[in-house]
């Protein structure tokens, strides 16, 4: 769908909420207070929904951001509020039951907040190869950028069901790694020393309207709008 038929990112943001703040590097969005608790809000995008076309359609971006990410945030806030009440009542059973909802919805919020930063329009540098220390590290650990892309695409395509494929930094081993996580599990669930540099959403809602069931085509084209500058900034910070 052409971008002109979509609500702009800024227009939609004002409809959804008026307290959004930009997210920091690799972390979740800023939060407001409700009943003394942090209430997480939908992070703004740095581009309009149609700006990533033709790699990712504006229709997908609008639904992905407005509907899917917002739902994770809504359910995360709800679960946190229920957890607060359960703790206040010393209701251990409810505290335990809420952990899966907190992990799933909180993970969805964390992962998507990173994902939006991992993308940028071609006119703003999307798809430009990484330079500097990250480019060197990729060549060292994978042989070349092309080899890394092939590995990520292969693991992302082979992931059964829904999940994410990641390029991460293992701060303990001081090397780059490619990992996959199921559902909305953040990369940190695969190891406490792993820092996400790049995450690609391989849930069907991220590509199905445009690519149908051909996930490999989605994985092939998303590299055209990957924001390697952002990944490089995270790498520089976390590897120093």
């Amino acid at each position: 769908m052409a971008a002109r038929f979509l609500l702009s990112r800024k227009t939609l943001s004002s409809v959804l909420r008026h307290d959004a703040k930009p997210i920091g590097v690799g972390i979740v969005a800023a939060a407001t207070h409700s009943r003394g608790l942090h209430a997480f809000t939908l992070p703004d995008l740095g581009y309009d929904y149609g700006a990533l076309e033709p790699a990712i359609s504006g229709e997908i971006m609008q639904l992905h951001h407005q509907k899917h990410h917002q739902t994770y945030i809504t359910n995360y806030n709800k679960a946190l509020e229920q957890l607060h009440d359960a703790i206040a009542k010393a209701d251990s059973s409810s505290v335990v039951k809420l952990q899966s909802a907190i992990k799933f919805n909180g993970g969805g919020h964390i992962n998507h907040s990173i994902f939006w930063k991992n993308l940028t329009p071609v006119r703003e540098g999307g798809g430009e190869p990484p330079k500097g220390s990250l480019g060197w590290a990729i060549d060292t650990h994978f042989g070349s950028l092309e080899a890394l892309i092939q590995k990520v695409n292969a693991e992302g395509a082979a992931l059964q069901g829904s999940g994410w494929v990641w390029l991460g930094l293992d701060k303990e081993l001081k090397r780059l790694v490619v990992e996959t996580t199921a559902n909305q599990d953040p990369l940190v669930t695969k190891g406490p020393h792993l820092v996400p540099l790049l995450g690609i959403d391989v849930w069907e809602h991220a590509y199905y309207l445009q690519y149908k069931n051909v996930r490999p085509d989605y994985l092939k084209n998303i590299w055209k709008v990957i924001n390697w500058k952002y990944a490089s900034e995270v790498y520089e910070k976390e590897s120093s």
Side-chain angles (χ1 to χ4, degrees):
M1 180 180 291
R4 64 178 178 274
F5 292 112
L6 299 167
L7 286 172
S8 73
R9 181 265 308 166
K10 293 180 180 178
T11 301
L12 184 58
S13 296
S14 66
V15 173
L16 289 174
R17 78 277 180 265
H18 27 255
D19 61 349
K21 303 178 179 67
I23 65 172
V25 175
I27 59 174
V28 297
T32 56
H33 288 277
S34 175
R35 294 180 56 196
L37 301 174
H38 283 301
F40 291 93
T41 58
L42 189 69
D44 204 358
L45 302 183
Y47 41 84
D48 287 338
Y49 292 120
L52 303 181
E53 294 183 346
I56 306 178
S57 74
E59 182 181 17
I60 286 177
M61 288 298 297
Q62 181 174 340
L63 290 171
H64 200 169
H65 183 250
Q66 176 191 2
K67 299 296 185 181
H68 292 279
H69 191 175
Q70 180 62 60
T71 297
Y72 293 126
I73 291 172
T74 299
N75 291 335
Y76 186 36
N77 286 331
K78 180 180 178 180
L80 290 175
E81 185 171 341
Q82 291 173 337
L83 177 65
H84 178 268
D85 291 343
I87 291 173
K89 296 175 182 177
D91 184 352
S92 299
S93 179
S94 293
V95 169
V96 172
K97 289 178 181 178
L98 286 165
Q99 298 309 305
S100 61
I102 290 171
K103 179 183 178 183
F104 180 77
N105 293 294
H109 178 39
I110 292 169
N111 292 347
H112 284 87
S113 295
I114 297 170
F115 185 56
W116 309 135
K117 291 290 188 178
N118 284 152
L119 304 174
T120 197
V122 172
R123 65 175 180 272
E124 296 177 16
E128 292 183 2
K131 302 174 182 178
S133 58
L134 178 57
W136 179 85
I138 289 172
D139 288 344
T140 299
H141 297 137
F142 300 102
S144 66
L145 177 61
E146 291 72 22
L148 168 64
I149 290 174
Q150 289 178 6
K151 181 175 178 62
V152 171
N153 287 359
E155 297 206 14
L159 183 64
Q160 294 183 348
S162 300
W164 293 73
V165 58
W166 302 92
L167 171 65
L169 169 65
D170 187 321
K171 296 185 69 171
E172 184 176 48
L173 299 178
K174 301 185 184 303
R175 63 170 291 114
L176 299 177
V177 296
V178 172
E179 295 279 357
T180 60
T181 57
N183 300 314
Q184 291 298 346
D185 290 357
L187 180 59
V188 71
T189 61
K190 299 298 286 284
H193 303 289
L194 295 180
V195 176
L197 305 177
L198 170 66
I200 298 179
D201 189 346
V202 293
W203 280 65
E204 284 190 342
H205 65 237
Y207 62 87
Y208 197 86
L209 287 176
Q210 184 173 358
Y211 294 97
K212 301 301 185 273
N213 63 324
V214 190
R215 186 189 288 177
D217 284 354
Y218 159 71
L219 290 167
K220 176 183 177 181
N221 287 324
I222 198 171
W223 297 99
K224 298 173 183 177
V225 289
I226 288 296
N227 186 0
W228 283 111
K229 181 180 178 182
Y230 171 77
S232 295
E233 290 172 353
V234 179
Y235 180 77
E236 291 280 358
K237 176 183 177 182
E238 298 293 340
S239 62
S240 61

